[in-house]
């Protein structure tokens, strides 16, 4: 019987706010619960969402009242979250605290407090950061603070791993790469001619396959229209693509500050009949828009994983994307055409994709099944479970980290002799002290204060006075159905 | 094929990565490395490229620059890592015989654990200091002359103030010599402008000035064709340009308003006047009006600016430009006119300025003028780029701070004549002289050097005179000159040497995680990312 854990997912970002991190947390939690674990989610209170909520399968969400300052990130008060956090953790008998997203202040605080309380911590990084600008430097310092004392880090792509390792000065062995996944059932290609979608996007309802030389090829773009999503590239490339290829048209969904550029471009080049702007769409509608097209164009300038291109491939679209960040790792080359983040190259790559589709060289109808076998949340949950096993000692250190634990030369301050990170305060302080000349001392003081608060809380609100919450009935894992991946 | 990993593990770590980089990868996608710029043939084991890191660099000495000594005990990256970090590779060596090669791909089911770190491919795309261009000593010294010039002219201004304040120097001689210098400079300028190729006088370079100030939003984006208006709004532009003193004296009231609403005051007048006015006269008006326009700042709508800018952008050729010979005479006349106007304006304003800060104590004035002049020095536009004769260096904060400093300093002076002299002198020093210096540097390097030496000598001599007693001020001045020249030479050389020495701490990290810089051809004005 595999060990099961009580896991708390902590992040500022969760439903009702839409987004990639939010759905990642939700999908991972529900798959982990399917595997017999108990998962709760701690986030801050949203408008109309306060207190404790239950989602599907008894997934419990704590909406902690917190001041939101910027883009639903809470105000960083290093210690103020501790009393409530301790209460939740003791009430739910949490073993593992799993924080998400490096811009989430709640997650960093939770990791600090969890280590003070002697819990195992995991952090998942979803984004890429540079090293040059002031905001990144500050964020990286804070990340280093929070990750100085974390048991394991999960990144969504290898590029993201490299970035996180550099930003937080981590041992690469304690960083795992576990990609995002898609719910392939929600992104089925448009196969059934009897299926009439609720709303009609685009002009012709059904893309004809196989494509004739004069059939219209529809290129779909779904992205928030921001600078770092490459909207400027898109604005520059669309007129040239449409000029080079007569029987093509664009469907653009999404909104943002750069939308006005696109609209200007459309008006200036009189492309109203060939470029359709749908405005913001909900995540449920993404598939309905995608199946209208043949090619998905993704001009982003930076991307840690790029879930949307997996979704597009799952819908049976041929993907044209810029080769930035973690995108080259995501899809096999027969599903994608890569372009440099340059206007010329994007035009050329799109031209190649159109030519390949017209020549019927691309078996887009097979994409769905292939993507389905590549990415599944169950797989993500199994791999995350291995991380949990590794940090809590269920897997031996040698197996988890890939070296011989009996060799005394391999003992480090990072991990105690038991193969797991030591909770002793002095060991933790050692780890924080290495963060920098001034920052190290400051961080050490923070940790000491945190520890003192912890002692005060133990006296003030003793553990035995906190009610234990009854568990939702757990599922049992069917080991035959899901053989372990490795 | 890559060399067997067993031989790799005997090499020092950075050579491991280097040779791994040289070896061909079986990848499914072309990488984004700088491979196009790298030499294709790299010696296998003798290459140690500082721009590539091995995995252990990630937690040993990379990330924001730190000194190596601080690492012990932090993050478990102490000395014991040296032995341990090679471990996983040893295990992978035994595995690699039976396993497939590790690929940096997410869609492949690989037989490696999730936290496996591949020595060969980990951080392979990382670049260190890829865009750093090393500094050379003498060019740095040469570039620092610009700063020295400006600091020296500020010092000269202070020296003149102190001279007037202590009544050592007659204000009339200060302003007389200053105006004489300005006149000489204007003559030189006029001569130089006459030598400029005629192309600078017709519309082509002028287009630049009518471009709207760079905006990040879409406003400056794609100019919308607006065929109806150009002839309407181009003509008033010229009218306003012709009367540079418009802004001061409120002629052409409505047009003045248009100009002001187009840009922040200083900039707006700059662009309008720059079209057809001779420079010194124009700058007079600019400098003076900038004092007043601080208060009379009109917040304008964005619409006229866009329309105006785009028209200028679009049809550069059909400007109603007067013939250049005739134009230059007219320019001179106008410069003369505005100079006279400014002269009398200042004369009229001086009694007001004199009693401006009577209720303020002198200490506050000294402190305030110190900070204002510091602002002037720090925010001055030292960039040497010269776009054209009619394009002016615009450092409005700097200029305004200096003029405010001179105003408050002048208000300490007892007599109207002194106030007038100092204010006029400050306009010459802070308003006109920077423009001339920049143009001189653009025109001829020799003039630039001579000007620098003269400035340094006069500034340091003046300081020496002021600091010494009044009896033997010429001796003091001489000593001051010698000491000042020595100090400035040492400072220029020392700072340049210091900056070069600091370059070794430069540690910029670039990698695939950095947002790509899009290259967009069809829109050239893309540089605000």
């Amino acid at each position: 019987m595999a060990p099961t854990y009580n896991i708390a997912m902590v992040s500022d970002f969760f439903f009702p706010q839409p987004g990639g991190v939010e759905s990642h947390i939700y999908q991972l939690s529900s798959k982990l619960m399917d595997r017999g674990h108990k998962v709760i989610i701690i986030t801050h209170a949203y408008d109309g969402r306060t207190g404790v909520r239950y989602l599907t399968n008894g997934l419990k969400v704590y909406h902690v009242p917190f001041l939101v300052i910027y883009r639903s990130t809470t105000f960083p008060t290093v210690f103020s979250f501790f009393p409530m956090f301790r209460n939740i953790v003791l009430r739910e008998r949490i073993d593992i605290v799993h924080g998400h997203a490096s811009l989430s202040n709640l997650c960093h605080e939770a990791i600090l407090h969890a280590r003070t309380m002697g819990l195992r911590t995991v952090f998942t990084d979803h984004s890429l950061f540079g090293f040059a600008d002031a905001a990144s430097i500050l964020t990286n310092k804070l990340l280093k603070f929070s990750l100085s004392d974390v048991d394991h880090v999960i990144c969504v792509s290898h590029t993201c791993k490299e970035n996180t390792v550099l930003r937080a000065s981590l041992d690469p062995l304690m960083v795992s790469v576990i990609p995002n996944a898609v719910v392939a059932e929600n992104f089925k290609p448009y196969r059934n001619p009897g299926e009439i979608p609720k709303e009609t996007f685009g002009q012709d309802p059904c893309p004809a396959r196989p494509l004739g030389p004069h059939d219209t090829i529809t290129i779909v773009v779904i992205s928030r229209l921001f600078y770092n999503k490459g909207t400027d590239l898109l604005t520059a490339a669309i007129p040239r693509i449409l000029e080079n290829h007569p029987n093509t048209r664009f469907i653009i969904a999404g909104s943002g500050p750069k939308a006005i550029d696109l609209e200007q471009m459309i008006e200036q080049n009189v492309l109203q009949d060939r470029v359709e702007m749908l405005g913001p769409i909900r995540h449920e509608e993404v598939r309905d828009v995608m199946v209208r097209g043949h090619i998905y164009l993704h001009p982003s300038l930076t991307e840690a994983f790029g879930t949307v291109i997996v979704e597009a491939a799952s819908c049976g679209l041929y993907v044209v994307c810029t080769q930035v960040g973690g995108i080259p790792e995501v899809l096999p080359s027969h599903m994608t055409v890569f372009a440099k983040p340059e206007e010329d190259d994007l035009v050329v790559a799109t031209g190649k994709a159109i030519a390949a589709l017209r020549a019927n060289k691309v078996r887009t109808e097979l994409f769905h099944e292939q993507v389905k076998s590549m990415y599944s949340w169950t797989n993500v949950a199994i791999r995350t479970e291995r991380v949990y096993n590794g940090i809590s000692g269920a897997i031996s250190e040698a197996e988890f980290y890939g070296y011989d634990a009996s060799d005394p030369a391999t003992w480090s301050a990072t991990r105690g002799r038991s193969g797991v990170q030591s909770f002793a305060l002095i060991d933790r302080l050692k780890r924080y002290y290495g963060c920098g000349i001034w920052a190290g001392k400051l961080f050490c003081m923070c940790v000491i204060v945190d520890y003192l608060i912890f002692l005060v809380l133990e006296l003030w609100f003793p553990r035995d006075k906190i009610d234990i919450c009854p568990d939702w009935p757990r599922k049992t894992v069917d080991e035959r159905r899901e053989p372990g991946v490795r | 094929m890559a060399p067997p990993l067993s031989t790799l593990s005997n090499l020092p770590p950075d050579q491991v990565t280097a040779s791994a980089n040289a070896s061909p990868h079986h990848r499914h996608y072309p990488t984004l490395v700088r491979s196009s710029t790298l030499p294709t043939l790299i010696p296998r084991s003798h290459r140690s490229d500082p721009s590539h890191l091995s995995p252990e660099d990630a937690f040993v000495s990379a990330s924001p620059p730190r000194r190596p000594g601080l690492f012990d005990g932090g993050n478990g990256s102490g000395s014991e890592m040296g032995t341990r970090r090679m471990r996983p590779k040893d295990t992978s060596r035994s595995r690699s015989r039976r396993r497939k090669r590790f690929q940096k791909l997410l869609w492949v089911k690989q037989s490696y654990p999730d936290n496996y770190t591949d020595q060969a491919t980990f951080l392979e795309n990382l670049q260190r200091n890829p865009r750093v261009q090393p500094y050379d000593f003498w060019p740095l010294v040469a570039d620092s002359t610009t700063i020295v010039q400006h600091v020296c002219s500020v010092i000269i201004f202070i020296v003149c103030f102190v001279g007037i304040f202590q009544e050592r120097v007659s204000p009339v001689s200060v302003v007389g010599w200053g105006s004489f210098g300005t006149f000489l400079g204007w003559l030189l300028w006029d001569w130089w402008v006459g030598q400029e190729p005629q192309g600078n006088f017709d519309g082509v370079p002028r287009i630049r000035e009518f471009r709207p100030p760079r905006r990040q939003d879409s406003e400056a984006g794609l100019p919308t064709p607006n065929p109806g208006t150009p002839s309407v709004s181009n003509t008033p532009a010229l009218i306003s340009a012709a009367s540079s003193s418009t802004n001061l004296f409120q002629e052409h009231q409505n047009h003045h308003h248009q100009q002001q609403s187009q840009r922040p005051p200083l900039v707006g007048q700059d662009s309008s006047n720059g079209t057809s006015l001779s420079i010194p006269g124009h700058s007079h008006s600019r400098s003076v009006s900038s004092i007043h326009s601080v208060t009379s700042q009109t917040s304008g709508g964005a619409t006229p600016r866009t329309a105006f800018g785009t028209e200028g952008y679009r049809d550069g050729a059909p400007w109603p430009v007067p013939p250049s010979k005739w134009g230059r005479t007219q320019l001179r006349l106008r410069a003369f006119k505005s100079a006279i106007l400014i002269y009398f304006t200042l004369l009229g304003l001086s009694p007001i300025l004199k009693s401006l800060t009577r209720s303020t104590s002198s200490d506050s004035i000294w402190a305030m003028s110190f900070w204002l002049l510091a602002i002037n020095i720090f925010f001055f536009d030292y960039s040497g780029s010269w776009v054209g004769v009619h394009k002016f260096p615009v450092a409005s904060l700097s200029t305004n701070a200096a003029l405010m400093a001179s105003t408050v300093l002048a208000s300490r002076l007892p007599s109207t004549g002194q106030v007038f002299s100092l204010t006029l002198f400050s306009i010459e020093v802070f308003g006109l002289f920077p423009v001339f210096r920049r143009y001189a540097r653009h025109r001829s390097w020799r003039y630039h050097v001579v000007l620098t030496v003269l400035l340094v000598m006069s500034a340091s001599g003046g300081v020496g005179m002021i600091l010494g007693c009044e009896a033997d001020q010429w001796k003091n001045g001489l000593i001051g000159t010698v000491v000042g020249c020595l100090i400035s030479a040492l400072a220029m050389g020392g700072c340049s040497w210091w900056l070069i020495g600091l370059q070794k701490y430069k540690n910029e990290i670039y990698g695939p995680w950095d947002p790509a810089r899009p290259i967009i051809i069809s829109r050239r004005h893309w540089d605000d990312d």
Side-chain angles (χ1 to χ4, degrees), chain A residues 131 144 161-162 166 171-173 177 227 232 261 301 323 325 329 343 373 383 400 407 410 414 430 434 486, chain B residues 30 32 59 63 66 73 76 84 104 106 109-110 114-115 117 123 126 218 513 516 519 521-522 526 529:
Chain A
F131 296 93
K144 193 181 251 181
K161 171 175 175 175
E162 293 175 357
L166 286 176
D171 182 350
L173 285 179
V177 176
Y227 166 73
D232 297 300
D261 281 9
L301 302 181
Q323 200 179 33
E329 304 166 22
E343 179 194 338
S373 70
R383 292 161 77 171
F400 188 50
D407 186 353
T410 63
T414 316
K430 272 186 207 163
R486 45 184 58 108
Chain B
L32 264 185
F59 52 95
S63 69
R66 312 205 242 161
R84 198 176 56 78
K104 234 174 162 179
L106 296 172
K109 296 258 190 303
Q110 305 195 57
D114 288 325
N115 57 346
T117 305
L123 287 180
L126 185 138
S218 55
W513 47 82
I519 301 176
I521 321 296
S522 47
W526 180 263
D529 53 331

Side-chain angles (χ1 to χ4, degrees), chain A residues 390-410:
Chain A
I391 59 173
S392 56
I395 303 181
S396 75
E397 188 185 8
E399 191 188 339
F400 188 50
Y401 291 107
Y403 62 90
D404 188 4
S406 62
D407 186 353
T410 63

Side-chain angles (χ1 to χ4, degrees), chain B residues 377-391:
Chain B
I377 288 176
F378 281 111
F379 289 89
F380 188 73
D381 181 14
Y382 293 106
S383 67
S385 58
W386 183 266
V387 197
V389 190
H390 304 287
K391 173 86 177 168

Side-chain angles (χ1 to χ4, degrees), chain A residues 18 59 63 113 171 174 206 214 264 271 311 315 343 472 476:
Chain A
L59 176 61
H63 290 278
H113 304 322
D171 182 350
M174 58 182 282
C206 178
H214 297 296
Q264 270 189 356
L271 294 172
E311 292 170 352
C315 287
E343 179 194 338
W472 193 271
T476 49

Side-chain angles (χ1 to χ4, degrees), chain B residues 99-353:
Chain B
R99 278 182 176 180
K100 259 182 77 180
R101 222 181 128 75
F102 176 79
Q103 290 171 311
K104 234 174 162 179
L105 298 176
L106 296 172
W107 55 274
V108 191
K109 296 258 190 303
Q110 305 195 57
S111 51
Y112 292 88
D114 288 325
N115 57 346
Y116 174 77
T117 305
D118 190 43
Q119 291 278 321
T121 54
F122 189 64
L123 287 180
E124 65 174 346
N125 291 344
L126 185 138
Q127 303 164 28
R128 252 181 181 176
N129 298 336
R131 293 179 215 162
V132 171
Q133 36 192 359
Y135 293 116
D136 290 328
F137 182 74
W138 289 111
L140 263 187
V141 174
D143 285 342
S144 66
T145 50
T146 324
I147 302 171
V148 171
Q149 277 187 348
H150 187 66
V151 173
C152 282
S153 50
V154 171
I155 289 175
I156 288 173
F157 173 75
I158 296 169
V159 164
C160 289
F161 169 73
V162 174
I164 295 174
F165 190 67
Q166 296 177 346
E167 296 183 339
R168 289 187 183 187
V169 191
S170 104
V172 179
S173 72
V174 168
V175 78
W177 282 107
S179 305
F180 180 66
T182 310
F183 185 66
L184 277 188
W186 180 71
L187 284 183
L188 194 61
W189 173 286
D190 199 51
W191 183 57
W192 277 339
V193 169
Q195 280 183 335
E196 287 267 316
Q198 293 297 313
N200 274 357
F201 279 93
D202 46 56
V204 185
R206 200 170 301 157
I207 297 168
R208 297 193 65 93
E209 292 146 24
F210 280 90
R211 289 179 56 179
R214 205 171 297 291
R215 288 276 179 278
Q216 267 213 322
D217 51 12
S218 55
E219 175 188 296
L222 293 168
T224 42
N226 195 357
T229 32
S231 59
V232 183
S233 62
N234 280 344
T235 327
L238 205 76
I239 295 171
S240 88
S243 58
S244 75
S245 46
T246 309
N247 301 322
L248 262 182
F249 297 99
Q250 317 274 311
E251 303 166 5
H252 305 285
Q253 184 75 35
N254 54 348
H255 187 71
H256 164 79
H257 183 74
Q258 185 196 345
Q259 287 293 321
Q260 284 238 333
S261 66
Q262 274 164 11
R263 284 192 182 186
L266 191 62
V267 192
Q269 289 147 19
D270 221 8
S271 78
S272 64
N273 293 331
T275 47
S276 58
L277 237 213
S278 153
I279 281 73
H282 150 67
S283 296
H284 264 286
S285 84
R286 174 183 68 139
S287 315
V288 175
S289 61
S290 69
I291 305 174
H292 308 290
S293 58
V294 179
T295 48
S296 68
Q297 195 168 11
T298 15
S299 62
T303 341
R305 167 180 35 196
T306 326
F308 198 56
T310 47
E311 287 146 15
Y313 214 155
R314 292 228 143 212
D315 39 11
W319 287 90
V321 184
S324 67
K325 275 293 164 198
W326 179 74
R328 280 194 58 202
T329 332
Q330 209 180 30
L331 294 188
R332 284 180 197 141
L333 275 178
R334 278 176 198 152
F336 197 61
K337 191 177 113 192
S338 42
I340 289 174
L341 281 175
I342 282 164
Y343 179 86
F344 284 110
T345 313
L346 275 185
L347 211 54
L349 281 176
S350 298
I352 304 170
L353 287 182

